[in-house]
Amino acid sequence: MIMCSRFFITCCLRKFTIHCFDGFDENMSEEGRFYPPIEPYDTGRLKVDDIHELYYEQCGKPDGNPVLFVHGGPGGGSSPADRCYFDPQFYRIVIFDQRGAGKSTPAAEVKNNTSWLIVDDIERVREHLNIDRWVIFGGSWGATLCLLYAETHPERVKAMILRGVFAFQWKEVQWLYQEGANLFFPDHWDNYISVIPEEERGDLVSAYYKRLTGDDEDAKMACARAWSLWECSVSKLIPDEEAAIKVTNDLWVTQFAMIECHYMINRGFLKSDTYILDNAYKLQDIPCSIIQGRYDVVCPPDTAFKLHQRLPKSELCMLTAGHYSREPKIHEHLIKAADKYKVL
């Protein structure tokens, strides 16, 4: 073990760069650094089909460098804190809630809700706001969507900032919801499986989906809370009580669990298990910063490393952190990455 406040390694292998930051910066506060809270200068709603209407907002500098924040989940929704990764003196910050999530309506709706429809929605938001090209920023499921969008519309992407990369490989789904992560969090896992009869635990995603889409409202809410609490509880390197508080919000857990389980059982609606990594060659000319927690149990770092190997213009920062975007080291490096691209 190397004991120091910051240990820095730069490896130049096959023309790609990895930065490893171990230890904690003694000068960093518990919550790290954000840009000051700001309010939107514009909000709106965009109807994308006969069912779904999306909420969007714009903050910062109206004629600044456009950046799109893509929230996680699926079904997680955005929050005011998401505005604060970006320098408002330089960026035109665009945030939207995906189908069924956050302030978009109808809440928790899974009909007409697929990865490809959300990719289309992102393009509709860009066209609606008369943006030519933008920086895209997303973590976890947000990173998945950023990659799918960039692989579909590479000409519209100036740069990518990705955190906790999730490529929707089946082994990633199984790791979190069936076997793998449970070995590190057996106490939280016990709560996760407690709402499912023992005879159905061989396929927990299917067992949850049956109840989340069933008619028993009590079972539906119990499963929504247990599913959401499991993921929230394992997201931080150092767990706290925030997860237990967050799952008291009935609307949020319903949106999060219903939509996320819908995507998991449908394997992200992707054409193959390795679709995102197989199509990464389309992104070779796009600068990319990848911020990854070495101890991320939700999105293990193997996927981020494999993506990094495929992107010659990418930089991978491997940090002593978990999955949560607001862990001090994670969000400090997200802000640094956003600062890097603010004058593109």
Side-chain angles (χ1 to χ4, degrees):
M1 181 179 292
I2 298 175
M3 301 298 293
C4 60
S5 62
R6 180 161 291 183
F7 177 56
F8 176 83
I9 299 175
T10 302
C11 303
C12 294
L13 300 172
R14 284 186 262 172
K15 298 184 180 180
F16 62 82
T17 303
I18 304 174
H19 301 301
C20 300
F21 299 89
D22 294 314
F24 291 92
D25 187 338
E26 295 176 356
N27 297 317
M28 190 184 299
S29 69
E30 182 180 353
E31 290 300 323
R33 177 176 67 88
F34 276 116
Y35 281 102
I38 54 173
E39 293 298 318
Y41 66 78
D42 173 51
T43 64
R45 304 192 68 84
L46 181 63
K47 193 165 182 61
V48 292
D49 65 14
D50 292 339
I51 300 173
H52 294 276
E53 187 174 86
L54 308 183
Y55 167 82
Y56 70 86
E57 63 182 41
Q58 298 189 82
C59 310
K61 187 178 181 182
D63 61 349
N65 184 21
V67 60
L68 176 70
F69 179 92
V70 184
H71 70 69
S78 63
S79 75
D82 299 330
R83 307 163 187 162
C84 301
Y85 289 104
F86 312 103
D87 187 338
Q89 300 301 313
F90 287 84
Y91 273 118
R92 177 185 176 185
I93 306 157
V94 180
I95 298 174
F96 80 106
D97 286 327
Q98 297 156 30
R99 296 183 180 217
K103 297 178 183 178
S104 292
T105 55
E109 179 58 68
V110 296
K111 186 177 180 181
N112 291 3
N113 198 333
T114 72
S115 305
W116 299 110
L117 289 172
I118 296 179
V119 167
D120 291 344
D121 291 345
I122 293 173
E123 188 64 357
R124 286 190 184 95
V125 170
R126 184 193 65 78
E127 292 172 347
H128 180 71
L129 298 178
N130 296 313
I131 292 170
D132 181 41
R133 299 172 68 234
W134 49 9
V135 178
I136 55 177
F137 178 117
S140 193
W141 164 246
T144 311
L145 284 175
C146 284
L147 288 163
L148 288 174
Y149 175 79
E151 289 174 356
T152 307
H153 302 283
E155 73 284 357
R156 298 301 180 185
V157 180
K158 294 183 177 183
M160 297 186 295
I161 303 167
L162 309 175
R163 187 265 311 165
V165 178
F166 183 68
F168 238 116
Q169 302 168 96
W170 186 240
K171 66 179 182 180
E172 294 172 294
V173 176
Q174 291 291 90
W175 164 269
L176 182 58
Y177 297 111
Q178 190 61 45
E179 187 172 7
N182 60 309
L183 301 177
F184 294 90
F185 294 90
D187 47 347
H188 298 302
W189 181 260
D190 190 57
N191 179 74
Y192 169 68
I193 64 174
S194 67
V195 295
I196 303 299
E198 189 170 354
E199 62 271 18
E200 295 185 54
R201 293 176 186 173
D203 185 352
L204 287 162
V205 171
S206 293
Y208 262 94
Y209 188 73
K210 181 173 73 173
R211 288 160 177 80
L212 288 168
T213 58
D215 297 327
D216 186 333
E217 293 300 322
D218 290 338
K220 181 183 296 186
M221 187 55 64
C223 284
R225 287 203 177 92
W227 177 284
S228 302
L229 182 59
W230 162 245
E231 187 163 334
C232 290
S233 296
V234 304
S235 291
K236 293 186 178 181
L237 183 60
I238 301 174
D240 56 28
E241 296 180 356
E242 182 179 346
I245 296 171
K246 196 169 188 178
V247 299
T248 61
N249 184 323
D250 289 354
L251 175 60
W252 186 83
V253 298
T254 301
Q255 291 174 304
F256 185 77
M258 177 72 81
I259 297 173
E260 191 165 77
C261 194
H262 165 72
Y263 273 82
M264 298 305 160
I265 202 165
N266 286 289
R267 300 193 179 203
F269 300 92
L270 300 187
K271 299 172 184 177
S272 71
D273 195 51
T274 56
Y275 179 87
I276 289 175
L277 293 177
D278 289 345
N279 284 274
Y281 70 91
K282 299 175 182 178
L283 312 177
Q284 294 200 16
D285 294 329
I286 301 176
C288 178
S289 294
I290 304 171
I291 314 300
Q292 179 69 44
R294 185 177 294 281
Y295 305 104
D296 186 339
V297 175
V298 177
C299 298
D302 176 67
T303 302
F305 185 75
K306 288 178 178 177
L307 177 68
H308 174 52
Q309 289 179 305
R310 287 163 171 78
L311 300 181
K313 290 192 175 182
S314 69
E315 177 182 77
L316 171 62
C317 290
M318 194 78 77
L319 306 173
T320 303
H323 180 72
Y324 188 53
S325 61
R326 296 188 186 109
E327 287 190 27
K329 295 181 75 65
I330 293 285
H331 84 241
E332 185 76 9
H333 284 83
L334 287 172
I335 292 170
K336 287 179 179 178
D339 284 349
K340 178 179 178 179
Y341 301 121
K342 65 186 181 183
V343 293
L344 281 179

